[in-house]
Amino acid sequence: MSYSDRFDTHIVENQPTPPTPYNLWSEDPMLLHWTQCNSIGEMPEVLHHYGQLAGHSLMDDGEHANKHKPELHLFDRYGRRRDEVHFHPSYHRLMDSAMSKGVHNYSWQHKNKGSAHIVRAALLFMHCQADAGTTCPLTMTHAAVPALKQGKHLPPYWLEKLVHGQYDPRDIPAMDKAGVTIGMGMTEKQGGSDVRRNTTKAIPNDDGSYSIIGHKFFFSAPMCDAHLILAQTEGGLSCFLLPRILENGQRNHVRIQRLKDKLGDWSNASSEVEFTGATGFLIGEEGRGVPVIIDMVSLTRLDCMIGSSALMRQGLVQAVHHVSEREAFGKRLIEQPLMKNVIADLTLECASHVALTMRVAKAVDAAENDNTEAAFARIATAIGKYWICKRTATFINEAQECLGGIGYVEENILPRLYRQAPLNSIWEGSGNVQCLDVLRAIAKDPQSKHALFQELTHARGKNRHYDNFVVELTLAFNQHEDIEVRSRLLTEKTALALQAAQLLKHGEGVLADAFCESRLSHQHGMAFGTLPAHVPFDDIIATGLVTPRQ
């Protein structure tokens, strides 16, 4: 034995190898299954191509873009106002890769092919696992299309460059770019979700534009080519598009005050701004700003579901990898009975979220030609957004715990996922707003309730726990006293019923039975890893395993 061997204290054993890059589409049976269950026809090759890209180089770009936060540059060296945010090159690679594969526009380019929103949901699902911050401008750019179609006096190049454009970060007027991105600024200091309290004013100009005076407390992705905002006019609260750079090459009068120092979402910038006579263009009619934005918000809320499901999926992948290679007390962790319970429970949770997310994407696809699906999309989006986003932080924390202390250090992805996890439950309306929207949908559109229970009826007779639960849920909906106070519990139970319905309808016997017994029949604790002992853990875990191609 050499001298160095005798005194070598750094022998690494019983530590997992770093996770191997994999194709986030073709090697993820969970995403494959639930996308195909809800789609029509063959899946396009772009999914395989983007899965390969997202699972390899974009994972590294996501890490770098979050380690090197955006930097605010208000002035140039001579004191001229710039209002620029500078990003790490990895941010630009993430945006360019995503937009080249249609993460921001696939739904609109292929809207007549039957499953465009589902394919686009799968693309975003994969992108969000590499980096969630860039999904903010990608989501808003995608969701802005229905709103911009209502811009009667808006130059046509805006819509054209949204639907057919590519990433172009150059600091030039939108009319000269290869593609544009759209951000959003709704929230003011005094209003929050109550946007009718907004004080920002819009004054009409002789040329048909408006001068915008006021502020926004959250102005997302300030380097987008334009932002949709709400402002008060003589006709009431109205929607406007504010270009960042005007056609004459001058910067619009949108003054960045500071960047938000956020818990997570570090790769993307969020800001506070003031409008000092900024030029805006009316979208829709004066006084109809909220209805214009609602179409946008319904799509961004679906993206909240997609993003949260994606975070959970990547958290599960990381947890399974670790416990499959780490040993304790003579066995691999994955072979320990209690850890099996935890991983099976996480797999069950993740699968049910992906299933409901893709079902809502299917409804959005069909909404234009099917009134029942449109009504279902309206109510199910609020239900899913509430429940899926609410579960993410707890889920990621449990995944971290599977890794122990390593899950708490910044050398792996889980701390980033954990910081990101609460965002979607807050963005686009927090939990109370979603629950009130469920009640509002039922009150204003009885077809929403009909569509909801029609969806639940399709799964009747397949599981006794489910059947009993739906009967109780029906009674709860018909009891109107104190319904607002009960709306969180009601929304939660409805989400669970919808998730169970997807598992039952698509023949997922092992998953469906375990889900119905644990979630619907109270055979589950408050924490993960509390499934009944007779549940077939190995069979459940197998449905969520990444399956690398040889």
Side-chain angles (χ1 to χ4, degrees), residues 272-284:
E272 297 176 23
V273 299
E274 291 184 356
F275 307 129
T276 57
T279 299
F281 299 94
L282 182 66
I283 304 296

Side-chain angles (χ1 to χ4, degrees), residues 315-316 318-320 322-323 326 333 339 342-343 346 395-405 407 414:
L316 177 62
Q318 297 291 323
V320 170
H322 184 88
V323 302
R326 176 84 164 175
L333 289 176
M339 183 59 79
V342 171
I343 296 297
L346 290 174
F395 185 104
I396 297 299
N397 178 240
E398 191 68 57
Q400 285 181 297
E401 196 172 320
C402 292
L403 275 68
L414 279 166

Side-chain angles (χ1 to χ4, degrees), residues 211 463 520:
S211 293
N463 182 283
L520 308 187

Side-chain angles (χ1 to χ4, degrees), residues 9 44 60 111 138 178 183 195-196 208 242 255 298 301 307 315-316 343 361 378 435 497 504 515 520 536 544:
T9 62
D60 291 333
K111 65 175 297 185
L138 293 169
V195 294
R196 296 194 182 278
L242 271 64
R255 303 303 189 214
S298 65
R301 285 179 176 176
L316 177 62
I343 296 297
R378 280 194 293 274
C435 295
L504 289 166
F515 187 93
L520 308 187

Side-chain angles (χ1 to χ4, degrees), residues 367-409:
E368 190 171 336
N369 301 310
D370 188 323
N371 291 335
T372 300
E373 285 292 279
F376 177 74
R378 280 194 293 274
I379 193 168
T381 299
I383 293 167
K385 199 274 188 188
Y386 171 79
W387 184 238
I388 294 174
C389 299
K390 186 70 70 178
R391 296 289 286 171
T392 311
T394 303
F395 185 104
I396 297 299
N397 178 240
E398 191 68 57
Q400 285 181 297
E401 196 172 320
C402 292
L403 275 68
I406 293 176
Y408 197 67
V409 298

Side-chain angles (χ1 to χ4, degrees), residues 34 38 305 351-360 363 373 375-385 387-388 438 448-459 466 469-470 473 477 490-506 512 515-516 519-520:
W34 290 110
N38 289 285
M305 297 168 61
S352 66
H353 294 317
V354 178
L356 179 55
T357 296
M358 289 302 175
R359 174 63 185 93
V360 174
E373 285 292 279
F376 177 74
R378 280 194 293 274
I379 193 168
T381 299
I383 293 167
K385 199 274 188 188
W387 184 238
I388 294 174
V438 172
S448 293
K449 182 179 179 182
H450 171 76
L452 171 64
F453 277 91
Q454 179 173 295
E455 179 74 13
L456 298 178
T457 300
H458 290 328
Y466 176 81
F469 191 82
V470 172
L473 185 64
F477 266 96
L490 189 63
T491 302
E492 174 182 321
K493 288 184 173 182
T494 308
L496 292 172
L498 284 172
Q499 291 174 318
Q502 306 316 307
L503 299 175
L504 289 166
K505 284 196 305 178
H506 293 287
F515 187 93
C516 291
R519 270 65 171 176
L520 308 187

